[in-house]
Amino acid sequence: MRIRVCLAALSLVGGATVATVTAPSAAAAACSDIDVVAARGTFEPGTLGFIVGDPVFSALQRKLTGKNLSSYKVNYPADLSLTSAAQGNADLVNHVNSQASACPNQRFILVGYSQGANVVDNSIGISSAGAVVGSPIVATLPAAVEPKVAAVLLFGNPIRAIGKSVTGTYQSRTIDFCAKGDPVCEAGGNDTLAHLGYTANADAAAAFAAGKV
């Protein structure tokens, strides 16, 4: 299963024009101190994502003991369809906007792994078009919500393989893990298994986020 996740992610390079995608209406959850919004990787199992989302959320709970945390699994196919990342992009922005309106004091930690990193990139205004399972931007978090995003945690981010990274407003709040040889985020990388090892970075990502909250 794990090998299939990585090989599937490697089998398609996005870049085609993607039609406008509308996410379903998001229902506001209870007002926690911090909402952890996680976009899983292609075909990744688990509640928030077996390789990244779930272990990162657990690590955040350990690091942020004085805070009440909630979580949200971005609602998108996480498959190889050309509109998959765009659907995730629209849903992430819709969810955060709804939560920010319902819970003015709530802050957010955005988590994205593999294709999920494309989803987060797009949502903060960095296009993943041209990257593996990427997409043009269909929605971005508005300026009024931007200060509420405490941290952005990215793993195996496909835009790095095409020479891009998170710059601008969110750069200082972003940590972006790319394992040596990971072919999804490293141009010329040839270590398929490296893309499946990001559970090992969960504690470091949580420590980074804790320093930003």
Side-chain angles (χ1 to χ4, degrees), residues 117-146:
N118 286 338
V119 168
V120 175
D121 292 332
N122 282 12
S123 300
I124 61 175
I126 309 294
S127 176
S128 66
V132 173
V133 286
S135 163
I137 294 169
V138 297
T140 56
L141 295 174
V145 170
E146 173 268 312

Side-chain angles (χ1 to χ4, degrees), residues 94-141:
N94 192 42
H95 170 75
V96 172
N97 282 339
S98 295
Q99 284 296 122
S101 177
C103 305
N105 295 322
Q106 190 173 61
R107 300 183 74 193
F108 302 92
I109 294 173
L110 308 182
V111 181
Y113 164 54
S114 196
Q115 185 178 173
N118 286 338
V119 168
V120 175
D121 292 332
N122 282 12
S123 300
I124 61 175
I126 309 294
S127 176
S128 66
V132 173
V133 286
S135 163
I137 294 169
V138 297
T140 56
L141 295 174

Side-chain angles (χ1 to χ4, degrees):
M1 176 62 189
R2 288 189 171 188
I3 294 295
R4 189 169 72 87
V5 170
C6 186
L7 293 181
L10 292 174
S11 67
L12 176 67
V13 175
T17 299
V18 176
T20 301
V21 176
T22 302
S25 297
C31 296
S32 62
D33 295 322
I34 299 169
D35 191 29
V36 180
V37 181
R40 68 196 188 282
T42 305
F43 302 132
E44 185 187 9
T47 303
L48 299 177
F50 176 77
I51 294 171
V52 167
D54 293 339
V56 167
F57 186 71
S58 294
L60 286 167
Q61 288 178 309
R62 293 191 297 270
K63 297 288 185 184
L64 300 172
T65 53
K67 302 289 185 181
N68 178 27
L69 273 62
S70 59
S71 66
Y72 178 76
K73 179 181 181 178
V74 174
N75 182 17
Y76 86 114
D79 60 19
L80 299 177
S81 63
L82 293 177
T83 62
S84 178
Q87 290 178 64
N89 174 194
D91 184 72
L92 187 155
V93 171
N94 192 42
H95 170 75
V96 172
N97 282 339
S98 295
Q99 284 296 122
S101 177
C103 305
N105 295 322
Q106 190 173 61
R107 300 183 74 193
F108 302 92
I109 294 173
L110 308 182
V111 181
Y113 164 54
S114 196
Q115 185 178 173
N118 286 338
V119 168
V120 175
D121 292 332
N122 282 12
S123 300
I124 61 175
I126 309 294
S127 176
S128 66
V132 173
V133 286
S135 163
I137 294 169
V138 297
T140 56
L141 295 174
V145 170
E146 173 268 312
K148 299 176 184 290
V149 177
V152 178
L153 313 178
L154 303 174
F155 305 78
N157 188 356
I159 69 169
R160 291 185 55 170
I162 59 172
K164 298 178 66 176
S165 62
V166 174
T167 57
T169 303
Y170 292 92
Q171 183 174 12
S172 65
R173 285 173 271 169
T174 298
I175 191 166
D176 190 342
F177 296 93
C178 180
K180 182 175 177 56
D182 180 350
V184 175
C185 59
E186 180 184 294
N190 59 7
D191 183 358
T192 300
L193 292 178
H195 191 60
L196 305 175
Y198 291 104
T199 301
N201 300 114
D203 282 345
F208 174 84
K212 302 295 181 181
V213 170

